[in-house]
Amino acid sequence: MRRSRLTGAMALCVAMVSWPLAARQAAPAPKAMPSPAAEHHDRQPQDIFRVKPLSGNVYALYGRGGNIGFFVGPDAVLVIDSQFKDIAPGIVEQIKKVSDKPIKFLLNTHHHGDHVGGNEVFRQFAMIVAHDNVRKRMLTSPADIQRDYPAMLEAAKKAGNEQNVKALSDMIEWAKKVKVEEIPAPVMTFDSELRIHMGDETIQVWHLPPAHTDGDSVVYFEKAKVLHMGDDFFNKVVPFIDVKSGGSVKGYLLALDKVIAKVPADATIIPGHGEVTDVAGLKAFRQYIADVLDAAQKAKAAGKSKEDFLKDVDLPAYRDFNGYKDRFKANAGSAYDEAAR
Ligand SMILES: [Zn+2]
């Protein structure tokens, strides 16, 4: 497969925002990683997959993009998120090692490329299900790319980054040519809640207030007591908050509180990025969001400009979160924008 790679922070940003990039091209340049823990985007191809059995026939599958969850029912398998197109066949292979039952459902937690990039592979045999806005955002992505990418392309040209120039040019070309029916968007969508029944398991899908994007859903396996949070939860990783796609820092708090109130204290939790954890892990992430908002709120109330706030803002307790250097200030800036005067 032709490999066209984006580099650095841009790679993360573009791969997260734009599903077609993930669908059409290999992932961002792999870097040496000390452990496969937090940032799966950068994992080496030979070390892509790790399957972790959880309770009640639910599994987590770590790969290179957003964490996958899957459930083996009596007659079929349900999968949550599809990562990237180039590794989707490998994902299917890993699932087949656990069960030879047909993969009948694919749930997408949101529209980002590292969660839906493999849809093109899965749609050949599975019903793809997601919130209304996931479909909407995937279908409007060619127009969004044609609107936003030319400026990014110019910036890449100025910076002399040939790899990014090539990748962005390819994307713009793709956006001009693609037909709507070629986009592997969800074919079954819902607006607030959905339940799927497989054997004695009930799979609850809840759309949450705008947090990571405006199309976020989380998936709860009632009997197994396992919750897949999509990117509404980055475990020990500084989140990307996609304000352009309707995300919100305040919304993150609302979304997290809603989930924390709904699930039992002994639930197992699969985050969108980072390791599987428990409710205490989820609450620690909620605290990070609360602390960012609090810092922004105090600065704004004290009459500090956004520029001055961003110059000195630092939350030392979270410096060891993966991506602190790359994304913390962006989170703080969004929090400042949302804070009341
Ligand atoms: Zn995402």
Side-chain angles (χ1 to χ4, degrees):
M1 173 183 279
R2 180 174 56 89
R3 293 182 76 86
S4 179
R5 290 165 167 174
L6 295 174
T7 53
M10 190 174 192
L12 178 68
C13 172
V14 176
M16 280 183 151
V17 175
S18 155
W19 74 267
L21 178 78
R24 292 182 62 244
Q25 300 177 332
K31 283 185 234 148
M33 288 293 287
S35 84
E39 218 23 284
H40 304 299
H41 296 279
D42 293 329
R43 294 182 65 193
Q44 300 288 351
Q46 68 273 20
D47 181 34
I48 284 177
F49 303 117
R50 191 158 47 98
V51 173
K52 186 179 169 76
L54 305 171
S55 52
N57 290 327
V58 181
Y59 298 77
L61 193 162
Y62 299 99
R64 207 176 57 216
N67 294 332
I68 285 174
F70 66 95
F71 168 71
V72 179
D75 314 307
V77 175
L78 171 143
V79 180
I80 304 165
D81 286 345
S82 62
Q83 298 204 350
F84 297 103
K85 186 185 171 186
D86 65 323
I87 60 166
I91 292 164
V92 171
E93 207 177 292
Q94 293 293 318
I95 295 168
K96 293 281 171 209
K97 279 186 199 167
V98 175
S99 169
D100 59 1
K101 297 192 172 88
I103 298 171
K104 283 199 178 164
F105 300 102
L106 173 70
L107 297 173
N108 287 150
T109 58
H110 62 295
H111 75 286
H112 284 159
D114 56 326
H115 296 257
V116 305
N119 278 17
E120 211 172 314
V121 171
F122 279 85
R123 79 164 163 185
Q124 295 163 30
F125 43 80
M127 169 84 72
I128 305 183
V129 184
H131 182 260
D132 295 330
N133 290 347
V134 176
R135 178 174 169 87
K136 205 154 68 186
R137 291 201 177 276
M138 286 182 74
L139 295 186
T140 59
S141 62
D144 297 341
I145 287 168
Q146 290 186 70
R147 185 193 61 217
D148 298 338
Y149 281 32
M152 289 159 72
L153 176 62
E154 282 316 302
K157 278 181 184 165
K158 263 192 196 150
N161 189 331
E162 279 174 34
Q163 285 178 330
N164 287 1
V165 168
K166 171 86 177 80
L168 290 164
S169 307
D170 284 356
M171 286 307 303
I172 294 167
E173 279 314 299
W174 171 86
K176 283 180 190 162
K177 283 186 203 145
V178 71
K179 295 187 186 94
V180 161
E181 62 272 21
E182 290 169 355
I183 297 175
V187 292
M188 186 181 282
T189 63
F190 62 93
D191 63 356
S192 61
E193 288 192 12
L194 176 81
R195 276 162 290 281
I196 297 177
H197 304 272
M198 296 174 74
D200 58 0
E201 183 58 278
T202 299
I203 300 132
Q204 304 245 12
V205 191
W206 305 320
H207 173 56
L208 295 178
H212 181 64
T213 71
D214 63 4
D216 305 337
S217 296
V218 299
V219 183
Y220 183 59
F221 297 88
E222 256 180 39
K223 192 157 180 272
K225 292 204 260 187
V226 176
L227 172 70
H228 190 301
M229 283 292 293
D231 281 359
D232 273 10
F233 178 26
F234 286 59
N235 187 19
K236 295 188 176 150
V237 179
V238 170
F240 168 57
I241 302 175
D242 189 356
V243 176
K244 259 193 167 175
S245 298
S248 153
V249 191
K250 281 188 178 170
Y252 250 106
L253 271 196
L254 294 175
L256 292 167
D257 284 343
K258 196 171 168 182
V259 168
I260 289 166
K262 270 177 175 250
V263 297
D266 58 347
T268 299
I269 303 183
I270 306 173
H273 297 271
E275 293 290 312
V276 168
T277 183
D278 52 17
V279 173
L282 182 62
K283 285 182 176 168
F285 177 69
R286 185 208 178 276
Q287 192 59 48
Y288 164 77
I289 298 287
D291 288 348
V292 176
L293 268 172
D294 189 50
Q297 186 64 64
K298 280 185 180 140
K300 208 161 180 178
K304 227 178 189 182
S305 71
K306 184 175 176 182
E307 204 185 13
D308 286 345
F309 168 61
L310 290 180
K311 223 180 277 166
D312 0 290
V313 65
D314 184 22
L315 295 177
Y318 304 104
R319 277 187 202 148
D320 63 342
F321 273 26
N322 195 302
Y324 186 82
K325 272 198 185 129
D326 296 331
R327 292 186 295 279
F328 170 65
K329 297 251 169 167
N331 288 182
S334 302
Y336 184 94
D337 293 341
E338 290 180 37
R341 281 203 185 276

